[in-house]
Amino acid sequence: MHSKGIAWGMLFLCGILHSSETSQTLKDAYRGKFVIGAALNEAQITGRDAREAALVEQEFNSISPENALKWESVHPKPGVYSFDVPDRYVAFGAKHKMFVVGHTLIWHNQTPEWVFRDEKGSLVDRETLLKRMHDHIATVVGRYKGRIQSWDVVNEVLNDDGSLRQSLWLKIIGPDYIAKAFQYAHEADPKARLTYNDYSLENPVKRSGALALIKMLKGEGVPITAVGLQGHLSLTWPSIADEDETVGAFADAGVKVAITELDIDVLPRPDADHTAEVTRSIQQDPALNPYAGGLPEVVQGQLAQRYKDLFRIYLKHRNAIDRVTLWGVTDADSWLNDWPVKGRTSYPLLFDRVGQPKMAHRSVLQAVEEVGQ
Ligand code: G3I
């Protein structure tokens, strides 16, 4: 009888401990270390998805717009800007006193073709494209001056071998398009943090190219303040040692480091490429969608451990890291449900499809608890 009572008491206590543990939020647990962000889709920004908007408010103190500030969204036609959703995005962040990110000014994707062409369809010259770039940056950054604290100025400018990507920006303007973009952004909001954002910088060859680029920009006095490691990672890539080395190398190069688009893919990759190139597309195959009926507990555990290991590294470098942003709020929102194979069931984030915290959420909290103050 007595031992039964003790057992029930223990169970009750565990219940209380468990519920108090899980009531801890990401932003509160990491306060004083770095801000924790999430990328928001239109339904979350506008409040159409009220449950997820509430979850964002509760758990995160930084936001990024998943698509709303890309050129094709905000500036679809010459002289036509679409500020409705971006205005609501910035207002959401201001209302909740969040660190608000702008993503992204200059990218080779999601930029309408008209930007690069004249009325006859021919490529424009350098001066014309520079003027368009300047007007776009001055208008968009200027509108949110003092309210968007950090801009991804250039996105994905390097190839996987570390050379400059042959985008139309490079082809028409030349390599100084990067420096120009930073200068224009700085003119439009001198206090904003300005970031070069890219994926797979854990790959040593690409990382060398990025370090050389940053060194060159800093040497020329270009106002770059941070590198964004997108962080589209998997259960096995990169190694924790590589992540550690990568963050350390950029910190040593004298820039802040932001983890800008973190997610961890648990689904099989059809090849060994570690890329986040959005134009990739691979044919559907049930073998590539093994967890359509749910994620096995063992993989859930692996995901949790992986998140913990990564956050330990981010915490180790907390003097250099000012932000860790998840690329989405719940697994249901993730771009990885449709990339590189359409229609898969992916589990890369910290909240499940109905907004409940996953084991990985708990492990991210544990990582900071272990560090203490
Ligand atoms: O808005 C249209 C909608 O009107 C249309 O009906 C629908 C039909 O497919 O498409 C909608 O646009 C989609 C948009 O997401 C909004 O859902 C685009 O097709 C789709 O290409 C776009 O994908 C985004 C992708 O970037 C390309 O912009 C993903 O949501 C977004 O997560 C992803 O984010 C990128 C980062 O910006 C840069 N780093 C890599 C990262 C992941 O790819």
Side-chain angles (χ1 to χ4, degrees), residues 72-87:
E72 70 172 12
S73 310
V74 72
H75 190 181
K77 296 195 179 117
V80 176
Y81 286 87
S82 175
F83 285 124
D84 179 36
V85 179
D87 281 358

Side-chain angles (χ1 to χ4, degrees), residues 96-286:
H96 302 298
K97 301 189 170 42
M98 292 168 161
F99 183 85
V100 181
V101 178
H103 171 85
T104 177
L105 295 170
I106 299 299
W107 192 21
H108 63 284
N109 277 318
Q110 269 58 47
T111 305
E113 211 38 41
W114 65 260
V115 175
F116 306 107
R117 300 196 179 266
D118 62 20
E119 325 70 63
K120 292 188 200 124
S122 307
L123 291 181
V124 294
D125 61 15
R126 169 181 159 92
E127 292 315 314
T128 307
L129 190 55
L130 275 175
K131 183 170 184 324
R132 287 181 184 174
M133 178 199 266
H134 175 269
D135 291 351
H136 176 82
I137 292 177
T139 306
V140 178
V141 176
R143 184 176 182 93
Y144 302 114
K145 185 177 176 183
R147 292 186 293 152
I148 285 188
Q149 281 85 31
S150 176
W151 276 100
D152 292 345
V153 178
V154 292
N155 197 39
E156 302 171 1
V157 299
L158 294 186
N159 293 312
D160 285 347
D161 67 1
S163 60
L164 281 182
R165 187 189 281 273
Q166 291 298 312
S167 65
L168 285 175
W169 295 109
L170 179 68
K171 191 171 169 185
I172 299 172
I173 298 177
D176 65 335
Y177 86 89
I178 296 174
K180 294 281 185 199
F182 276 96
Q183 280 158 15
Y184 298 158
H186 185 63
E187 280 162 28
D189 187 350
K191 290 199 178 134
R193 289 179 183 229
L194 303 181
T195 301
Y196 150 52
N197 192 46
D198 216 326
Y199 59 77
S200 302
L201 294 179
E202 291 81 0
N203 161 0
V205 188
K206 189 165 184 180
R207 190 195 317 158
S208 299
L211 286 164
L213 175 66
I214 289 167
K215 197 171 165 203
M216 191 192 78
L217 293 173
K218 284 179 77 74
E220 290 172 356
V222 173
I224 175 173
T225 38
V227 64
L229 307 185
Q230 290 189 359
H232 295 296
L233 311 181
S234 76
L235 283 179
T236 51
W237 183 89
S239 71
I240 291 302
D242 278 345
E243 189 66 23
D244 188 8
E245 202 178 313
T246 303
V247 178
F250 286 109
D252 290 347
V255 281
K256 284 280 180 192
V257 180
I259 309 298
T260 53
E261 305 184 11
L262 182 61
D263 47 26
I264 299 174
D265 199 356
V266 301
L267 298 182
R269 283 282 169 113
D271 52 43
D273 280 357
H274 299 294
T275 174
E277 175 56 54
V278 292
T279 51
R280 285 189 96 211
S281 175
I282 286 162
Q283 211 184 338
Q284 287 176 320
D285 173 352

Side-chain angles (χ1 to χ4, degrees), residues 20 23 28 36-37 45 62 89 95 97 120 123 127 187 191 240 267 300-301 313:
S20 74
S23 68
D28 289 335
I36 306 281
I45 292 170
S62 175
Y89 164 75
K95 180 173 172 201
K97 301 189 170 42
K120 292 188 200 124
L123 291 181
E127 292 315 314
E187 280 162 28
K191 290 199 178 134
I240 291 302
L267 298 182
Q300 199 79 259
I313 296 301

